[in-house]
Amino acid sequence: MSDIFGIHEKSLMFSSKRAQLIANNIANAETPWYLARDLDFKTVFSQSQTAQMSQTDVAHHAGLLDGEGFSGLSYRIPLQPAQDGNTVDVQMEKSAYLDNAMHFQASMRFLNGRIQSLMSAIKGE
């Protein structure tokens, strides 16, 4: 299926996990010593590609995200940390969430178009 859908299948999984992280950051904006976290698509994608290239058996896991932890997970460097040690900047998190939502929507539109094309080919249209 990866030949048909390309990177967009993994992009949707990434966007979903990133949305959860960003929402968690916003929810903990008032929690003392909470450190905001994020995922970097380029890092996750390059690690995923490397894992796929070094995969020796089809039964081995070579996914985008490794189990409960994330490859590519990092802490945000705050522009202005709070006195209580919290590094969440709510405005920055909202911006990141909207950016992530746009990437998710773009991947969904691509996949929808690809599926419609496949359905047309199956029906012989």
Side-chain angles (χ1 to χ4, degrees), residues 33-51:
W33 301 105
Y34 181 81
L35 304 176
R37 299 178 301 166
D38 198 4
L39 286 169
D40 178 46
F41 181 78
K42 290 178 186 176
T43 304
V44 171
F45 180 71
S46 67
Q47 289 175 354
S48 173
Q49 292 298 93
T50 304

mmCIF file of all heavy atoms in Angstrom, residues 33-51:
data_model
loop_
_atom_site.group_PDB
_atom_site.id
_atom_site.type_symbol
_atom_site.label_atom_id
_atom_site.label_comp_id
_atom_site.label_asym_id
_atom_site.label_seq_id
_atom_site.Cartn_x
_atom_site.Cartn_y
_atom_site.Cartn_z
ATOM 1 N N TRP A 33 6.976 23.280 36.241
ATOM 2 C CA TRP A 33 8.080 22.441 35.771
ATOM 3 C C TRP A 33 7.700 21.510 34.627
ATOM 4 O O TRP A 33 8.438 20.593 34.314
ATOM 5 C CB TRP A 33 8.739 21.664 36.917
ATOM 6 C CG TRP A 33 9.270 22.594 37.947
ATOM 7 C CD1 TRP A 33 8.732 22.842 39.175
ATOM 8 C CD2 TRP A 33 10.400 23.453 37.824
ATOM 9 N NE1 TRP A 33 9.464 23.797 39.831
ATOM 10 C CE2 TRP A 33 10.507 24.189 39.010
ATOM 11 C CE3 TRP A 33 11.341 23.688 36.827
ATOM 12 C CZ2 TRP A 33 11.498 25.134 39.224
ATOM 13 C CZ3 TRP A 33 12.330 24.624 37.050
ATOM 14 C CH2 TRP A 33 12.396 25.332 38.241
ATOM 15 N N TYR A 34 6.567 21.774 33.984
ATOM 16 C CA TYR A 34 6.212 20.969 32.809
ATOM 17 C C TYR A 34 7.054 21.444 31.631
ATOM 18 O O TYR A 34 7.154 22.638 31.358
ATOM 19 C CB TYR A 34 4.728 21.085 32.470
ATOM 20 C CG TYR A 34 4.348 20.246 31.266
ATOM 21 C CD1 TYR A 34 4.109 18.893 31.402
ATOM 22 C CD2 TYR A 34 4.276 20.807 29.996
ATOM 23 C CE1 TYR A 34 3.794 18.103 30.305
ATOM 24 C CE2 TYR A 34 3.961 20.038 28.902
ATOM 25 C CZ TYR A 34 3.731 18.691 29.058
ATOM 26 O OH TYR A 34 3.425 17.920 27.964
ATOM 27 N N LEU A 35 7.655 20.507 30.910
ATOM 28 C CA LEU A 35 8.490 20.829 29.757
ATOM 29 C C LEU A 35 7.737 20.475 28.477
ATOM 30 O O LEU A 35 7.365 19.320 28.265
ATOM 31 C CB LEU A 35 9.815 20.060 29.817
ATOM 32 C CG LEU A 35 10.643 20.269 31.080
ATOM 33 C CD1 LEU A 35 11.878 19.385 31.060
ATOM 34 C CD2 LEU A 35 11.021 21.725 31.229
ATOM 35 N N ALA A 36 7.505 21.485 27.643
ATOM 36 C CA ALA A 36 6.785 21.280 26.387
ATOM 37 C C ALA A 36 7.593 20.389 25.455
ATOM 38 O O ALA A 36 8.813 20.505 25.369
ATOM 39 C CB ALA A 36 6.511 22.624 25.721
ATOM 40 N N ARG A 37 6.894 19.466 24.775
ATOM 41 C CA ARG A 37 7.548 18.539 23.859
ATOM 42 C C ARG A 37 6.942 18.659 22.463
ATOM 43 O O ARG A 37 5.820 19.128 22.296
ATOM 44 C CB ARG A 37 7.401 17.109 24.363
ATOM 45 C CG ARG A 37 8.028 16.898 25.709
ATOM 46 C CD ARG A 37 7.838 15.511 26.233
ATOM 47 N NE ARG A 37 6.418 15.198 26.335
ATOM 48 C CZ ARG A 37 5.933 13.989 26.505
ATOM 49 N NH1 ARG A 37 6.722 12.964 26.591
ATOM 50 N NH2 ARG A 37 4.648 13.781 26.605
ATOM 51 N N ASP A 38 7.706 18.205 21.484
ATOM 52 C CA ASP A 38 7.235 18.247 20.106
ATOM 53 C C ASP A 38 7.936 17.166 19.299
ATOM 54 O O ASP A 38 8.944 16.612 19.736
ATOM 55 C CB ASP A 38 7.507 19.621 19.487
ATOM 56 C CG ASP A 38 6.668 19.883 18.241
ATOM 57 O OD1 ASP A 38 5.814 19.038 17.887
ATOM 58 O OD2 ASP A 38 6.866 20.940 17.618
ATOM 59 N N LEU A 39 7.390 16.884 18.127
ATOM 60 C CA LEU A 39 7.994 15.943 17.182
ATOM 61 C C LEU A 39 8.454 16.730 15.957
ATOM 62 O O LEU A 39 7.754 17.623 15.500
ATOM 63 C CB LEU A 39 6.976 14.899 16.733
ATOM 64 C CG LEU A 39 6.596 13.829 17.723
ATOM 65 C CD1 LEU A 39 5.398 13.043 17.211
ATOM 66 C CD2 LEU A 39 7.761 12.903 17.956
ATOM 67 N N ASP A 40 9.608 16.369 15.436
ATOM 68 C CA ASP A 40 10.127 16.997 14.226
ATOM 69 C C ASP A 40 9.941 16.021 13.071
ATOM 70 O O ASP A 40 10.492 14.915 13.098
ATOM 71 C CB ASP A 40 11.603 17.345 14.410
ATOM 72 C CG ASP A 40 12.198 17.954 13.154
ATOM 73 O OD1 ASP A 40 11.554 18.843 12.565
ATOM 74 O OD2 ASP A 40 13.311 17.537 12.763
ATOM 75 N N PHE A 41 9.175 16.424 12.063
ATOM 76 C CA PHE A 41 8.857 15.530 10.958
ATOM 77 C C PHE A 41 10.113 15.054 10.225
ATOM 78 O O PHE A 41 10.239 13.879 9.905
ATOM 79 C CB PHE A 41 7.909 16.211 9.973
ATOM 80 C CG PHE A 41 7.525 15.321 8.826
ATOM 81 C CD1 PHE A 41 6.576 14.327 8.992
ATOM 82 C CD2 PHE A 41 8.125 15.459 7.587
ATOM 83 C CE1 PHE A 41 6.223 13.490 7.951
ATOM 84 C CE2 PHE A 41 7.772 14.624 6.541
ATOM 85 C CZ PHE A 41 6.821 13.642 6.718
ATOM 86 N N LYS A 42 11.035 15.964 9.957
ATOM 87 C CA LYS A 42 12.245 15.585 9.216
ATOM 88 C C LYS A 42 13.043 14.520 9.961
ATOM 89 O O LYS A 42 13.519 13.562 9.367
ATOM 90 C CB LYS A 42 13.120 16.809 8.959
ATOM 91 C CG LYS A 42 12.526 17.766 7.966
ATOM 92 C CD LYS A 42 13.403 18.978 7.780
ATOM 93 C CE LYS A 42 12.709 19.981 6.876
ATOM 94 N NZ LYS A 42 13.451 21.218 6.735
ATOM 95 N N THR A 43 13.180 14.675 11.263
ATOM 96 C CA THR A 43 13.914 13.699 12.061
ATOM 97 C C THR A 43 13.201 12.359 12.070
ATOM 98 O O THR A 43 13.813 11.312 11.858
ATOM 99 C CB THR A 43 14.083 14.198 13.511
ATOM 100 O OG1 THR A 43 14.722 15.466 13.496
ATOM 101 C CG2 THR A 43 14.879 13.234 14.341
ATOM 102 N N VAL A 44 11.896 12.379 12.313
ATOM 103 C CA VAL A 44 11.117 11.138 12.367
ATOM 104 C C VAL A 44 11.142 10.443 11.012
ATOM 105 O O VAL A 44 11.346 9.231 10.925
ATOM 106 C CB VAL A 44 9.660 11.414 12.812
ATOM 107 C CG1 VAL A 44 8.793 10.184 12.671
ATOM 108 C CG2 VAL A 44 9.643 11.920 14.231
ATOM 109 N N PHE A 45 10.974 11.212 9.942
ATOM 110 C CA PHE A 45 10.959 10.611 8.610
ATOM 111 C C PHE A 45 12.314 10.009 8.254
ATOM 112 O O PHE A 45 12.384 8.892 7.739
ATOM 113 C CB PHE A 45 10.552 11.640 7.566
ATOM 114 C CG PHE A 45 10.528 11.081 6.168
ATOM 115 C CD1 PHE A 45 9.542 10.180 5.790
ATOM 116 C CD2 PHE A 45 11.488 11.436 5.246
ATOM 117 C CE1 PHE A 45 9.513 9.646 4.511
ATOM 118 C CE2 PHE A 45 11.474 10.910 3.975
ATOM 119 C CZ PHE A 45 10.488 10.016 3.600
ATOM 120 N N SER A 46 13.387 10.718 8.535
ATOM 121 C CA SER A 46 14.712 10.187 8.198
ATOM 122 C C SER A 46 15.020 8.937 9.019
ATOM 123 O O SER A 46 15.607 7.982 8.512
ATOM 124 C CB SER A 46 15.800 11.240 8.383
ATOM 125 O OG SER A 46 15.957 11.563 9.735
ATOM 126 N N GLN A 47 14.623 8.911 10.290
ATOM 127 C CA GLN A 47 14.823 7.722 11.114
ATOM 128 C C GLN A 47 13.974 6.565 10.616
ATOM 129 O O GLN A 47 14.397 5.419 10.644
ATOM 130 C CB GLN A 47 14.520 8.021 12.580
ATOM 131 C CG GLN A 47 15.544 8.898 13.230
ATOM 132 C CD GLN A 47 15.161 9.282 14.649
ATOM 133 O OE1 GLN A 47 14.077 8.985 15.121
ATOM 134 N NE2 GLN A 47 16.064 9.964 15.329
ATOM 135 N N SER A 48 12.766 6.866 10.133
ATOM 136 C CA SER A 48 11.891 5.837 9.592
ATOM 137 C C SER A 48 12.487 5.249 8.320
ATOM 138 O O SER A 48 12.476 4.046 8.121
ATOM 139 C CB SER A 48 10.511 6.428 9.308
ATOM 140 O OG SER A 48 9.699 5.505 8.653
ATOM 141 N N GLN A 49 13.020 6.098 7.453
ATOM 142 C CA GLN A 49 13.629 5.622 6.219
ATOM 143 C C GLN A 49 14.854 4.762 6.510
ATOM 144 O O GLN A 49 15.054 3.729 5.893
ATOM 145 C CB GLN A 49 14.021 6.803 5.323
ATOM 146 C CG GLN A 49 12.839 7.558 4.770
ATOM 147 C CD GLN A 49 11.972 6.690 3.884
ATOM 148 O OE1 GLN A 49 11.003 6.093 4.327
ATOM 149 N NE2 GLN A 49 12.312 6.597 2.629
ATOM 150 N N THR A 50 15.669 5.177 7.476
ATOM 151 C CA THR A 50 16.849 4.409 7.852
ATOM 152 C C THR A 50 16.442 3.055 8.418
ATOM 153 O O THR A 50 17.039 2.029 8.095
ATOM 154 C CB THR A 50 17.688 5.175 8.893
ATOM 155 O OG1 THR A 50 18.026 6.453 8.365
ATOM 156 C CG2 THR A 50 18.945 4.426 9.246
ATOM 157 N N ALA A 51 15.401 3.039 9.239
ATOM 158 C CA ALA A 51 14.917 1.782 9.828
ATOM 159 C C ALA A 51 14.406 0.849 8.743
ATOM 160 O O ALA A 51 14.652 -0.355 8.787
ATOM 161 C CB ALA A 51 13.823 2.051 10.854
#
